[in-house]
Amino acid sequence: MASHPFSEEEWTTCVGNQDQYPYNVIYCGNCSLPFEYCEYNSPEEFQRCLLWRRENYPELFSTYDESLLTDALKNVTVADSLSKAVENNSHSSSKKKAPLNPEIVITRAQRKGRKQVTIISGLDKAGVKLSEFSKVCKKQFSCGASVVTAPDMREVVEIQGDHLQETLHLLKDQFSVPQEYLYVMDDNKRKVHAF
């Protein structure tokens, strides 16, 4: 028999108090976590968890939970009013910050070897969907075109090959972009009007 630091009485008490496996864990139907972890959710989510628990497991819903629910309801109403105020301010400020004249800049870039690509940025500010524009370019120019993330974290359309002039006419004619919005990067890396 292996030796242990407990007396025989302490050992039987310790072994007798161990939990029985498998555990019967009840998961919250709102957040899918065990009940013990619901309180780590946001206050709004925790309130929904408590409401679900009260409806589905009233025998496990205690007066402690009831006080938490009333506190959560108070916090949620304050949080809701604050979030609505912030949302209203963000909507009004975003309307003020919208550019009057969006700039669509078309550049040519050199890739591996002698391969060139045409990069179009600022389409989203002019209301042109990037994925739709790249699909039209693929069909129109019979080449690869895709939406990529530029180094400055903006999404741009990159077309394989030198299609600068064709892209300008496509934007102007088919996508009805006004001429004053279209810019081209010249050889000296300066932005100039396309037309």
Side-chain angles (χ1 to χ4, degrees), residues 63-82:
T63 57
Y64 171 74
D65 292 335
E66 190 69 42
S67 66
L68 282 176
L69 182 60
T70 56
D71 290 343
L73 284 170
K74 290 176 188 174
N75 292 338
V76 167
T77 55
V78 171
D80 283 344
S81 61
L82 287 174

Side-chain angles (χ1 to χ4, degrees), residues 130-140 145-146 157:
L130 299 170
S131 59
E132 181 183 328
F133 182 74
S134 67
K135 285 180 186 177
V136 170
C137 289
K138 283 180 189 179
K139 287 182 182 179
Q140 191 87 19
S146 60
V157 174

Side-chain angles (χ1 to χ4, degrees), residues 78-144:
V78 171
D80 283 344
S81 61
L82 287 174
S83 66
K84 286 178 183 174
V86 168
E87 186 178 309
N88 289 340
N89 287 339
S90 67
H91 284 299
S92 62
S93 64
S94 65
K95 290 178 185 174
K96 293 176 186 175
K97 293 180 183 177
L100 297 175
N101 292 329
E103 297 179 349
I104 298 176
V105 182
I106 304 171
T107 59
R108 286 182 275 209
Q110 192 81 20
R111 291 292 187 246
K112 296 177 186 175
R114 302 174 80 187
K115 296 181 181 178
Q116 289 194 350
V117 292
T118 306
I119 302 170
I120 303 102
S121 62
L123 287 172
D124 51 346
K125 294 177 183 173
V128 178
K129 290 186 179 180
L130 299 170
S131 59
E132 181 183 328
F133 182 74
S134 67
K135 285 180 186 177
V136 170
C137 289
K138 283 180 189 179
K139 287 182 182 179
Q140 191 87 19
F141 308 141
S142 299
C143 64

Side-chain angles (χ1 to χ4, degrees), residues 43-59:
E44 298 87 10
E45 190 71 21
F46 183 50
Q47 175 204 6
R48 289 190 289 271
C49 292
L50 288 174
L51 289 171
W52 185 88
R53 190 185 315 178
R54 185 172 62 183
E55 290 174 11
N56 296 296
Y57 289 94
E59 66 277 2

